[in-house]
Amino acid sequence: MTDPLDLCGLRLAHPVINGSGTFDAIAARRAFGDALLERFPFSAFVSKTITPEPRAGNPPPRLWETPAGMINSIGLPNKGLQGFLEQDLPQLGRLPVPLIVSVMATSAEGFARLVGKVAARPPVAAIELNVSCPNVHSGLIVGEEPRETASLLEALRPLTDKPLIVKLTPNVAEPAGVAVAAEEGGANAVSLINTLKASAIDPGTLRPWLGAGRGGLSGPAVRAVALEQVRSVAAAVAVPVIGMGGITSGSEALEFLAAGASVVAVGTESFRDPGAGERVRSELAEELAARRISSLAEVVGASAAADQRGRNEVQTGASSGPSEG
Ligand code: RRO
């Protein structure tokens, strides 16, 4: 495997983490006992998003299977800040990897309360700001607006020295614009993609299948979209990019690294196969070894570098390819 890597100050043993909300470490610990801790599948653990107050989540049905994917409309059920700090954090703090806590609020004040309280807890290594949940109607359109994103970051940045990671939405024309705003506001990393807004119609009743009317699409169906967004964001920012969207194998993880991600996350595939994180990690290690790559720096952004070389060659007329006649 490659050397350990540094993700904005977090030391990771390898480049595969989980997508928020797709792996319940507390339930997995109950199911697998200490074996889970001895061989934890991810190099960092990202919690399910929490909000300031408890939430029940959306009415059922909450899931719909699509070709090569699924739509979820979970609606952010969680115990709220106090419940998380008292009940979940002590258990998550015992995981053998850095803990990243995902938070979301419907106001800047709510975000500030979450960041202030969560970041103050020693087991928390970093905070992911979820400004991209497709299933919660908030008055706040932070993640869709570069200016709103920058001003949220400016309000939160002074509250902690711990890394702030911004989870970007794919549901905008230019995710790179929002990523640059997050970076300018002081974000230490960005992660993408969250789910794509999606609908399902019950073929019997011809009414929306999902209780909340719509949801977010994930899984292999979104992978090509995610790759392009990772590529455009990585080309636009200097902070590390955590890339995800339909990764099911080591070679697909490698594609995200080549597109410019420093770290990749496995999400929906963990629902199908709880061992997916470990499998993707070992397949990626084999892919890298087969290519004699020992440092991830050799591969991260390789496709962007090739892209830029191609453009330079076209500009200087250095291309040796066939010329138009
Ligand atoms: O809980 C959810 O419905 C949910 C969240 Br918070 C999110 O960020 N992305 C998603 O697809 N579902």
Side-chain angles (χ1 to χ4, degrees):
M1 196 49 176
T2 52
D3 297 334
L5 58 133
D6 181 289
L7 174 71
C8 51
L10 275 54
R11 197 173 158 77
L12 307 188
H14 59 79
V16 181
I17 70 173
N18 67 299
S20 171
T22 61
F23 188 88
D24 184 338
I26 295 174
R29 174 79 206 279
R30 265 199 307 271
F32 302 113
D34 286 346
L36 180 79
L37 306 184
E38 282 152 22
R39 222 177 144 69
F40 197 72
F42 303 107
S43 62
F45 179 72
V46 187
S47 77
K48 168 78 182 157
T49 304
I50 60 162
T51 53
E53 301 303 330
R55 287 177 54 92
N58 285 341
R62 291 173 167 184
L63 294 177
W64 175 263
E65 188 174 350
T66 70
M70 57 174 269
I71 304 175
N72 87 80
S73 177
I74 306 298
L76 208 34
N78 76 100
K79 296 173 179 154
L81 175 61
Q82 213 49 42
F84 173 80
L85 293 176
E86 286 167 11
Q87 297 164 42
D88 291 358
L89 186 60
Q91 300 182 69
L92 297 178
R94 286 197 282 272
L95 297 177
V97 295
L99 173 63
I100 301 171
V101 177
S102 171
V103 303
M104 187 260 173
T106 54
S107 68
E109 294 71 29
F111 264 110
R113 208 175 122 219
L114 288 163
V115 169
K117 296 276 187 208
V118 170
R121 297 299 177 107
V124 177
I127 295 184
E128 183 168 84
L129 306 170
N130 186 354
V131 294
S132 53
C133 176
N135 295 332
V136 174
H137 299 284
S138 76
L140 203 71
I141 43 163
V142 175
E144 296 178 9
E145 286 283 342
R147 246 177 312 120
E148 296 277 334
T149 302
S151 69
L152 179 68
L153 263 292
E154 281 155 18
L156 301 180
R157 184 66 283 176
L159 303 179
T160 180
D161 291 333
K162 290 185 179 172
L164 295 175
I165 302 166
V166 176
K167 179 79 172 270
L168 299 170
T169 178
N171 300 309
V172 290
E174 290 288 348
V178 182
V180 168
E183 180 177 48
E184 286 174 357
N188 301 89
V190 293
S191 55
L192 72 158
I193 62 172
N194 206 323
T195 52
L196 283 154
K197 277 185 196 167
S199 277
I201 298 294
D202 181 337
T205 64
L206 299 185
R207 294 184 179 283
W209 172 264
L210 297 165
R214 67 178 186 186
L217 179 67
S218 64
V222 308
R223 195 167 55 242
V225 174
L227 260 182
E228 164 51 20
Q229 296 203 357
V230 164
R231 216 166 71 96
S232 70
V233 165
V237 297
V239 293
V241 173
I242 301 169
M244 72 198 86
I247 294 175
T248 67
S249 71
S251 63
E252 291 160 4
L254 185 57
E255 291 168 16
F256 275 76
L257 297 176
S262 299
V263 165
V264 296
V266 173
T268 302
E269 183 67 357
S270 293
F271 293 134
R272 200 188 62 77
D273 169 13
E278 166 62 21
R279 183 171 51 72
V280 169
R281 185 202 64 75
S282 71
E283 289 174 2
L284 176 60
E286 281 166 24
E287 287 279 344
L288 294 170
R291 291 162 197 264
R292 299 188 191 291
I293 294 169
S294 59
S295 161
L296 285 175
E298 291 172 50
V299 71
V300 171
S303 81
D307 209 22
Q308 188 56 46
R309 269 199 308 280
R311 258 182 258 140
N312 291 344
E313 281 169 10
V314 170
Q315 271 165 14
T316 60
S319 170
S320 57
S323 57
E324 277 182 287

